[in-house]
Amino acid sequence: ADPTADPTKDPTADPTRDPTADPTTDPTYNPTKSPIQTSCASEPTDIVILVSEMCDGTFEGTQACDDKWEFVAELMTSVKGDANSNRVSVYTFDTVSVSLVASIDAPANALDAATNSVDRVDELYYQLRAQQCINQESNGDDGSSLELNEALNTAYTVFDEIANSDDLGRVKKIILVNTCADVVNEQEICDGNADIIHTGDISSGAGDGVLRTGPALSCLEQNPCVEFEATPIDDSTDFEICFWWDDSNPLCGKDGTISHSCPSDDEADKIEGWAPGRGNAMCNVVACGGQAQFGLKDGQGCSSNSGALTKELYGLTASCTYNGGLCGGGNTEDCTWTVEAPQCGPLTTYTSPGGIDVVVVNVPCGIQTYPENFLICLAEDDPSRVLEAASCTLPDTEDLIPAIAGEICTEPTPSPTTDPTADPTADPTADPTSDPTSDPTKDPTADPTADPTRDPTADPTKDPTADPTADPTADPTGDPTTDPTTQPTRSPIHKECDIGFEMDVAFIVDNQCGYSSTECTERQEGISELISSFKNDNTPRIMYLNVDGSTSFGSLSQDVLVTIDDPLYNGDETTGAANFQNLMQLIRADDCGGNLIEVGSGYNLRDAVEFTIQQLQANAVTTERVYKIVIVTSCEAPSTNDPCDIDMSNVFSVGDSEIEVTVINVDLAGREIPDSNLQCLTENDPQRIYNIGANEAEFQGIIDEFKQELCYAPTQDPTADPTRDPTSDPTKDPTADPTRDPTRDPTADPTKDPTADPTKDPTRDPTADPTADPTKDPTADPTRDPTADPTTDPTYNPTKSPIQTSCASEPTDIVILVSEMCDGTFEGTQACDDKWEFVAELMTSVKGDANSNRVSVYTFDTVSVSLVASIDAPANALDAATNSVDRVDELYYQLRAQQCINQESNGDDGSSLELNEALNTAYTVFDEIANSDDLGRVKKIILVNTCADVVNEQEICDGNADIIHTGDISSGAGDGVLRTGPALSCLEQNPCVEFEATPIDDSTDFEICFWWDDSNPLCGKDGTISHSCPSDDEADKIEGWAPGRGNAMCNVVACGGQAQFGLKDGQGCSSNSGALTKELYGLTASCTY
């Protein structure tokens, strides 16, 4: 028909170069940014693209970075489109982690009627185009192989557990965009991945695809760790079903041993400290069609993490749930796993899944050349699947796309053999087929063994490691982050320790070991920093017992420095916070006992442990709490009166809650204790025993791991905890009224504060008449009637919803704050789509080619204020292309792709706090990230609010009135990165510190005062800073420097002079060197080491 339907479903492979003879009156809003590739026809295929962030010389904001991600985006369109039903997932990898960019189970990859529609490919294309570059440098010959192995292991898990590729009969392919030539370790990479690539047999349970660390508490967390198999018993219809756990799966976040397990309810069968591996399997013999049950308990147990799931492995099906515990004994916190035995009758042969094709793309961005056919082993020695670009520029990488797509979309052999050959050819073959058959021959036997080899092996190592990198990470992720995050935090974060509100922690500090005065000082400083890492008010409750050997069991109460119900430190929040510094000083000043008490001469650590357990039991608020004991000792446990002789199964619990023990063995000068000292009390869990020296630095070195183990939480991705007080202290003196800058146009009606008279002259005049033709902005509503002469090539990106006409305005910086509370919008719902489409359209109404406005977007909820779009992102750059169609388009699709968290408000006492934090973040954006005042730009906030907090409305108004009226923020936000943890370096201290100068009467001198303020949302430090000083006189040194103007250090200096202040936190400044300059209150300060 003429005209053709508008818009057509399929864009042409290349945007037309010659528009219609009669140009449309309204140019398309979204022209194709670069040639979109023609998608290839293929079997249904799942594709994982692994993009190296190492060695490539691409950095955020550079052309090389843009070229790299444009290549990846175009590559995706060549293998995913309406010619197929392929799904594509994208990950980056570097020396820190493997990071998700685009998930294979995201809406853009849904297997439904709209599979690979233009809209879905378009959504993914722009998501990839918006990526930025981290450029984590490789560790070199001993590092990059590890990172690549972890990335490959992640891809295998995607196929096996997230995409369920084998169950759906889909082909599995990997595209490796490689930028590191790790010649030394090439063979290691080949050896570690050959079997799994050849067979495709992953045999790992990855649960919901979330990377977790810490105890395997629930069915969901145990799922990726456990494995099971059934072996027929000769001359019988019975089967031996064996069950074990394997820490080689990258999604199994458990290290060490699992607390306990059992193959039955007989207490004699219970296994304490269950180690990983097939050799440690539990086995039951059951009849065909029967069931075998196994109990598995770790950490605080399964009851508070209930849920049920089903897992298939090696042709068997198992289910997991919590039904009161299976294992005998006093602890009933184990999850119950039920494995179904094969049905009676002829056995069904377990068939291995199809292999995995890997295409290697070597891109020389940061290095000159690669060895010929580098990493060809991953392509099973097929040179057609190893490609090298001439350079990392887009023209050179684009040239490879047809060849890559050809390999990815090559159809596998149409008729795989039904019976595998008994004697396969050598592996790898000299000339393998370009695509393995969907059912490859089994290797090596014709009849598969009952116990197939599990893949992947324990090497490569797990990803991610059980212990996350220190917080903050040395190199934060780029901006913007992958948004939305795949696993946003869904429950409230409770201050320093995620579960502090429901936990009691008892410290037993052994003073019987003969410390010198220096060792004592260092140890106590270290203990205080351990405690301050998880407590700064009344939660969690702590007990502190110093054991000096001078008292018997019945008199140990006199050695308790802090009781578990102490009202000063463990009572209400306000009192706890007010007395926290006193608590730290009390601990630092504790005497370490002096003389060594010989074993057998009154050494009573066992008594102390039993006494502490009694105290936890007697003062329990509820048995549903988490209970922990931390033992700090420098004495080797004796053979008599040994704490290890305590019956852990019956004693170490409060009600049904287990008491977990962490041991810190502290070596003294000339006297070391065994690394395994008191390991018995930790259930042989290596994450709960530390061996360090008696100095503060070594305590600092374990803080992150210690806190991670002590405070493991239901959510694995806690966000930073923004500050509570939005206003800065002190506020500058507001300017007189009328304001120094005339009110913006238009003013509110009626105005709260009359504007100066006369108003600014001349006023802006509306657009000229007649308007320019064609108009710069597309019409608000796409035209319904196509041109009389239909275009041969409809636009690739038809407007998804009416794009607003952007307004003419003064240069303005705008922060849009979007509430995620109380609104009933959830991920994947129409309400969520509508909300973010509204925000996206709202953005286009205030940012466009009629102005040079910049727009930043944040969400806020009961957990945190989260960045969606940064005001200093490329889409907001102030250059010749300011607010071009491409830039507005980029930001529009970024907002349209958002999903909804829906963190519920805490109610009348909570939502005002969340809104205040969001407003405070907006003020900081204007002041430190956008530099709005320095650039003479107007500052505006749009609040998209979904909570009616009537009770706290006045509080919100009072807390923000001054700063909104004056615009005077006076806060230092550093580089705009939200950090948490110690303020180690100048960069991390910058957003925290403040300073001012006061003239001294009848003098040319000034008093310069310096303090730190935790109310700035970009200051990630809580509690106290380790120490500070206003001079090099040791007497002036301040230990545990508290925040606030009232705690300022001050120096008097002559006009034109300088005042110096020292500030040390955490491990200190020397290893985090750098220099910066900060301006505040009309003063300039510099920082360096």
Side-chain angles (χ1 to χ4, degrees):
D2 188 6
T4 58
D6 184 23
T8 59
K9 295 180 180 178
D10 296 318
T12 58
D14 192 31
T16 56
R17 297 177 177 83
D18 187 9
T20 56
D22 186 6
T24 59
T25 58
D26 184 17
T28 59
Y29 182 73
N30 291 321
T32 307
K33 293 185 176 181
S34 68
I36 303 300
Q37 308 295 316
T38 303
S39 62
C40 55
S42 78
E43 294 280 335
T45 302
D46 288 336
I47 304 157
V48 177
I49 303 177
L50 302 176
V51 183
S52 171
E53 291 276 71
M54 305 182 295
C55 314
D56 60 359
T58 62
F59 295 92
E60 181 179 331
T62 63
Q63 186 61 48
C65 179
D66 290 343
D67 282 355
K68 170 176 161 180
W69 282 106
E70 186 163 0
F71 162 65
V72 175
E74 289 188 25
L75 176 60
M76 179 276 299
T77 67
S78 74
V79 296
K80 175 182 172 68
D82 56 2
N84 57 54
S85 63
N86 294 349
R87 297 185 294 180
V88 175
S89 182
V90 182
Y91 287 79
T92 62
F93 63 99
D94 53 37
T95 60
V96 176
S97 64
V98 180
S99 301
L100 177 66
V101 175
S103 175
I104 208 157
D105 60 356
N109 283 311
L111 295 176
D112 55 25
T115 295
N116 291 353
S117 64
V118 169
D119 282 352
R120 287 185 175 172
V121 176
D122 178 44
E123 176 185 336
L124 186 53
Y125 174 84
Y126 279 99
Q127 183 179 349
L128 297 178
R129 280 294 305 271
Q131 294 308 301
Q132 298 186 22
C133 299
I134 312 302
N135 192 251
Q136 303 278 20
E137 288 305 318
S138 169
N139 294 330
D141 290 335
D142 61 349
S144 51
S145 63
L146 174 63
E147 329 312 340
L148 177 53
N149 275 331
E150 291 173 344
L152 290 167
N153 219 6
T154 299
Y156 307 150
T157 302
V158 168
F159 295 136
D160 189 51
E161 288 291 331
I162 305 176
N164 295 314
S165 306
D166 291 327
D167 293 343
L168 297 174
R170 298 175 67 84
V171 182
K172 298 169 293 191
K173 307 229 176 177
I174 296 172
I175 302 174
L176 170 61
V177 180
N178 178 51
T179 57
C180 266
D182 185 10
V183 180
V184 174
N185 289 314
E186 182 179 10
Q187 194 58 48
E188 176 188 340
I189 299 171
C190 298
D191 294 343
N193 292 276
D195 287 345
I196 197 168
I197 288 174
H198 181 64
T199 67
D201 194 352
I202 295 154
S203 303
S204 64
D208 55 354
V210 178
L211 301 173
R212 293 181 168 86
T213 59
L217 305 174
S218 66
C219 292
L220 188 65
E221 290 157 324
Q222 293 173 10
N223 181 31
C225 303
V226 301
E227 300 204 3
F228 42 86
E229 67 178 7
T231 305
I233 296 177
D234 292 341
D235 302 322
S236 168
T237 58
D238 294 343
F239 288 83
E240 182 185 55
I241 296 181
C242 292
F243 187 90
W244 67 98
W245 75 280
D246 184 3
D247 58 2
S248 69
N249 180 354
L251 294 184
C252 174
K254 177 66 182 177
D255 278 335
T257 60
I258 282 176
S259 298
H260 72 246
S261 63
C262 63
S264 73
D265 58 3
D266 187 342
E267 187 174 3
D269 293 338
K270 188 174 178 181
I271 304 169
E272 298 285 355
W274 191 36
R278 178 64 177 83
N280 296 305
M282 304 179 287
C283 299
N284 282 326
V285 175
V286 298
C288 57
Q291 296 178 334
Q293 288 192 317
F294 305 91
L296 181 53
K297 180 263 178 186
D298 199 35
Q300 68 191 48
C302 198
S303 64
S304 59
N305 301 277
S306 58
L309 56 81
T310 301
K311 174 173 183 168
E312 295 184 358
L313 189 65
Y314 300 140
L316 302 178
T317 299
S319 60
C320 177
T321 189
Y322 177 74
N323 57 11
L326 173 69
C327 300
N331 194 307
T332 59
E333 286 292 326
D334 50 281
C335 299
T336 300
W337 284 85
T338 303
V339 183
E340 305 287 340
Q343 294 299 309
C344 301
L347 291 179
T348 302
T349 301
Y350 169 68
T351 304
S352 175
I356 301 171
D357 269 6
V358 179
V359 175
V360 179
V361 185
N362 291 316
V363 181
C365 287
I367 59 176
Q368 296 305 310
T369 58
Y370 287 91
E372 184 178 1
N373 288 329
F374 182 59
L375 293 177
I376 193 173
C377 58
L378 298 180
E380 297 181 282
D381 294 319
D382 182 355
S384 68
R385 286 194 270 135
V386 179
L387 301 101
E388 182 175 343
S391 74
C392 64
T393 61
L394 183 61
D396 286 335
T397 53
E398 264 186 332
D399 287 345
L400 302 180
I401 289 178
I404 299 170
E407 291 296 334
I408 293 298
C409 294
T410 300
E411 296 185 7
T413 306
S415 300
T417 57
T418 57
D419 186 13
T421 59
D423 187 11
T425 58
D427 181 13
T429 58
D431 186 13
T433 57
S434 59
D435 198 330
T437 59
S438 59
D439 186 6
T441 59
K442 293 176 185 170
D443 186 7
T445 59
D447 187 7
T449 59
D451 184 6
T453 305
R454 291 179 294 108
D455 258 318
T457 60
D459 182 14
T461 58
K462 299 186 295 98
D463 179 30
T465 57
D467 292 322
T469 56
D471 186 18
T473 56
D475 191 357
T477 56
D479 179 64
T481 56
T482 302
D483 195 9
T485 57
T486 56
Q487 290 294 328
T489 306
R490 296 187 180 273
S491 66
I493 300 304
H494 298 269
K495 305 166 188 169
E496 287 68 37
C497 198
D498 297 333
I499 54 174
F501 66 101
E502 58 179 6
M503 182 167 68
D504 290 345
V505 182
F507 272 72
I508 301 174
V509 181
D510 194 350
N511 287 343
Q512 307 171 93
C513 309
Y515 293 87
S516 69
S517 60
T518 300
E519 289 169 336
C520 179
T521 299
E522 292 286 314
R523 187 195 72 170
Q524 292 308 113
E525 182 70 29
I527 292 174
S528 70
E529 295 200 23
L530 289 180
I531 293 175
S532 68
S533 75
F534 66 84
K535 177 181 175 72
N536 80 348
D537 52 23
N538 62 323
T539 61
R541 300 197 308 172
I542 73 161
M543 170 183 167
Y544 188 101
L545 171 65
N546 53 20
V547 188
D548 61 10
S550 63
T551 52
S552 62
F553 181 92
S555 304
L556 277 169
S557 57
Q558 71 187 47
D559 292 334
V560 177
L561 196 65
V562 179
T563 62
I564 198 71
D565 59 351
D566 192 314
L568 289 178
Y569 311 123
N570 299 318
D572 65 85
E573 181 176 357
T574 301
T575 304
N579 286 282
F580 177 70
Q581 289 309 312
N582 295 334
L583 173 63
M584 293 295 96
Q585 188 57 39
L586 183 68
I587 291 170
R588 292 188 187 108
D590 185 35
D591 179 17
C592 298
N595 296 327
L596 173 66
I597 295 179
E598 295 296 334
V599 172
S601 301
Y603 183 81
N604 63 347
L605 184 60
R606 173 174 176 166
D607 290 345
V609 173
E610 292 181 327
F611 171 80
T612 301
I613 293 171
Q614 287 189 3
Q615 292 300 300
L616 293 176
Q617 293 168 338
N619 293 280
V621 178
T622 170
T623 58
E624 298 300 317
R625 291 173 70 80
V626 177
Y627 297 91
K628 308 223 174 181
I629 292 176
V630 180
I631 300 174
V632 182
T633 184
S634 296
C635 293
E636 184 174 354
S639 58
T640 58
N641 202 27
D642 187 350
C644 290
D645 293 337
I646 301 173
D647 185 355
M648 294 190 67
S649 62
N650 293 323
V651 177
F652 281 74
S653 63
V654 178
D656 291 333
S657 297
E658 179 186 6
I659 301 174
E660 282 195 349
V661 178
T662 295
V663 174
I664 302 176
N665 290 315
V666 181
D667 292 331
L668 303 181
R671 181 157 50 88
E672 295 183 358
I673 55 178
D675 289 351
S676 60
N677 186 53
L678 299 181
Q679 184 175 352
C680 55
L681 299 181
T682 68
E683 298 173 291
N684 295 315
D685 186 345
Q687 292 181 324
R688 287 194 271 133
I689 188 166
Y690 303 90
N691 298 278
I692 60 176
N695 61 78
E696 181 192 352
E698 295 206 36
F699 276 90
Q700 284 280 352
I702 67 169
I703 283 178
D704 293 316
E705 297 175 39
F706 173 84
K707 180 181 176 182
Q708 171 77 9
E709 175 61 32
L710 193 79
C711 297
Y712 60 78
T715 54
Q716 75 281 355
D717 289 322
T719 57
D721 188 5
T723 57
R724 302 172 179 81
D725 186 1
T727 59
S728 58
D729 182 17
T731 58
K732 286 170 43 175
D733 189 10
T735 56
D737 192 0
T739 58
R740 61 185 177 219
D741 191 358
T743 27
R744 306 300 179 192
D745 187 11
T747 59
D749 188 11
T751 57
K752 296 178 181 178
D753 191 358
T755 58
D757 187 17
T759 59
K760 182 180 178 180
D761 187 25
T763 58
R764 281 192 172 273
D765 194 7
T767 56
D769 186 15
T771 59
D773 187 14
T775 57
K776 296 179 180 178
D777 289 314
T779 56
D781 192 11
T783 56
R784 298 176 179 84
D785 188 9
T787 55
D789 187 5
T791 59
T792 57
D793 184 13
T795 59
Y796 179 72
N797 289 320
T799 308
K800 293 187 177 180
S801 68
I803 303 298
Q804 308 298 313
T805 302
S806 63
C807 57
S809 79
E810 296 278 339
T812 302
D813 289 335
I814 304 158
V815 177
I816 303 177
L817 302 176
V818 183
S819 170
E820 291 275 71
M821 306 181 295
C822 314
D823 61 359
T825 62
F826 295 91
E827 182 177 331
T829 63
Q830 186 60 48
C832 178
D833 291 343
D834 286 351
K835 170 177 161 180
W836 282 106
E837 186 164 0
F838 160 67
V839 175
E841 291 188 24
L842 174 63
M843 179 277 299
T844 67
S845 73
V846 297
K847 175 181 171 69
D849 56 1
N851 56 55
S852 62
N853 295 348
R854 298 185 293 180
V855 175
S856 182
V857 182
Y858 288 79
T859 60
F860 64 98
D861 53 36
T862 60
V863 175
S864 65
V865 180
S866 301
L867 177 67
V868 175
S870 175
I871 208 157
D872 61 356
N876 283 311
L878 295 176
D879 54 25
T882 295
N883 290 353
S884 64
V885 170
D886 281 353
R887 288 186 174 173
V888 177
D889 179 41
E890 176 184 335
L891 186 53
Y892 174 84
Y893 278 99
Q894 184 180 349
L895 297 178
R896 280 293 304 272
Q898 295 308 301
Q899 299 184 24
C900 299
I901 313 303
N902 193 252
Q903 303 279 18
E904 287 304 318
S905 170
N906 293 330
D908 290 337
D909 61 348
S911 50
S912 63
L913 174 64
E914 330 312 341
L915 177 53
N916 275 331
E917 291 173 344
L919 290 168
N920 216 7
T921 299
Y923 306 151
T924 302
V925 168
F926 295 137
D927 189 50
E928 288 292 331
I929 305 176
N931 295 315
S932 306
D933 290 331
D934 294 342
L935 296 175
R937 298 176 65 85
V938 183
K939 299 169 291 191
K940 306 229 174 175
I941 295 172
I942 301 173
L943 170 61
V944 181
N945 179 49
T946 56
C947 266
D949 184 11
V950 180
V951 173
N952 289 315
E953 182 180 9
Q954 193 59 49
E955 175 189 340
I956 299 171
C957 295
D958 293 344
N960 292 275
D962 286 345
I963 197 168
I964 288 175
H965 182 64
T966 67
D968 195 351
I969 295 153
S970 304
S971 65
D975 56 354
V977 178
L978 300 170
R979 295 181 168 87
T980 60
L984 305 174
S985 66
C986 293
L987 186 65
E988 290 157 326
Q989 294 173 10
N990 181 30
C992 304
V993 301
E994 300 204 2
F995 42 86
E996 67 178 5
T998 304
I1000 296 176
D1001 293 341
D1002 302 322
S1003 169
T1004 58
D1005 294 343
F1006 288 83
E1007 182 184 54
I1008 297 181
C1009 292
F1010 187 89
W1011 69 97
W1012 76 280
D1013 185 2
D1014 58 2
S1015 69
N1016 181 355
L1018 295 185
C1019 173
K1021 176 66 181 176
D1022 279 331
T1024 62
I1025 282 175
S1026 298
H1027 71 245
S1028 62
C1029 62
S1031 72
D1032 59 1
D1033 187 341
E1034 188 173 1
D1036 293 338
K1037 188 174 179 182
I1038 303 170
E1039 298 285 353
W1041 191 36
R1045 178 65 177 83
N1047 297 304
M1049 304 179 287
C1050 300
N1051 283 326
V1052 174
V1053 297
C1055 56
Q1058 296 179 332
Q1060 290 191 318
F1061 304 91
L1063 179 53
K1064 179 263 181 186
D1065 200 35
Q1067 67 191 44
C1069 196
S1070 63
S1071 60
N1072 300 277
S1073 59
L1076 56 80
T1077 301
K1078 174 173 183 169
E1079 295 184 357
L1080 189 65
Y1081 301 141
L1083 302 179
T1084 299
S1086 60
C1087 176
T1088 189
Y1089 175 71

